[in-house]
Amino acid sequence: ELIEQQKHRTLVTWALESAPQFLDIFEQKYPEDQRPRQALEIAAVWARGEIKMPEAKKAIHAAHNAATAAEGEYAAQAAARAVGHAAATVHVPTHAIGLVLYGLTAFVYASDPGQADQVVEGELQRFYQRLVYWQDNIDKLETTWAPFLFRG
């Protein structure tokens, strides 16, 4: 519900800020595969209006392809999908929920057995606190935005 109430720019900032921790999970298993990292970097450039959607979309699809290639490595797979959804939030705000769902899945798979409940509770709280922070502060952020992020 809180996600649905946000400005697009708020969700983009929150998603791009939240995603790097999932790069760590993915890169622990696949240090040479830079597709999720590149998707996140390109999404930030796209959010500033420096590139167009086709270039960003290609990088985001590559992050999801990295997830597919990580078959059997569930934490890495979910982490790459979380990053892909974070990057895709620049295009469509509803992708932000994918960041949360896949991100929590990655944390659960990466956590010690018996710790999943604590991990989920802590990470949900962190997601919530950061989203509320950006909800209150997005208009104070000094950055260049792509014009389409001001719609809606």
Side-chain angles (χ1 to χ4, degrees), residues 22-124:
F22 302 111
L23 291 174
D24 295 340
I25 293 171
F26 180 80
E27 291 173 353
Q28 283 177 10
K29 290 288 182 181
Y30 300 98
E32 302 301 317
D33 191 340
Q34 296 295 296
R35 291 177 290 181
R37 180 172 295 280
Q38 290 167 348
L40 201 54
E41 292 168 358
I42 288 172
V45 174
W46 183 23
R48 292 190 304 268
E50 297 172 15
I51 62 170
K52 299 291 184 185
M53 180 178 36
E55 185 177 350
K57 188 175 178 182
K58 183 178 175 183
I60 292 165
H61 283 220
H64 286 290
N65 290 340
T68 301
E71 187 175 336
E73 294 291 346
Y74 302 118
Q77 194 170 44
R81 294 216 186 276
V83 171
H85 279 277
T89 300
V90 178
H91 182 234
V92 179
T94 54
H95 278 288
I97 196 68
L99 164 68
V100 175
L101 296 175
Y102 283 109
L104 291 174
T105 301
F107 283 133
V108 168
Y109 280 120
S111 68
D112 292 328
Q115 299 296 313
D117 288 344
Q118 286 178 289
V119 169
V120 167
E121 185 177 320
E123 292 305 321
L124 275 174

Side-chain angles (χ1 to χ4, degrees), residues 7-17 47 86 89-90 145 149:
K7 296 175 183 176
H8 195 168
R9 292 174 292 129
T10 302
L11 292 175
V12 167
T13 302
W14 172 71
L16 296 182
E17 174 192 76
T89 300
V90 178
W145 292 106
L149 292 174

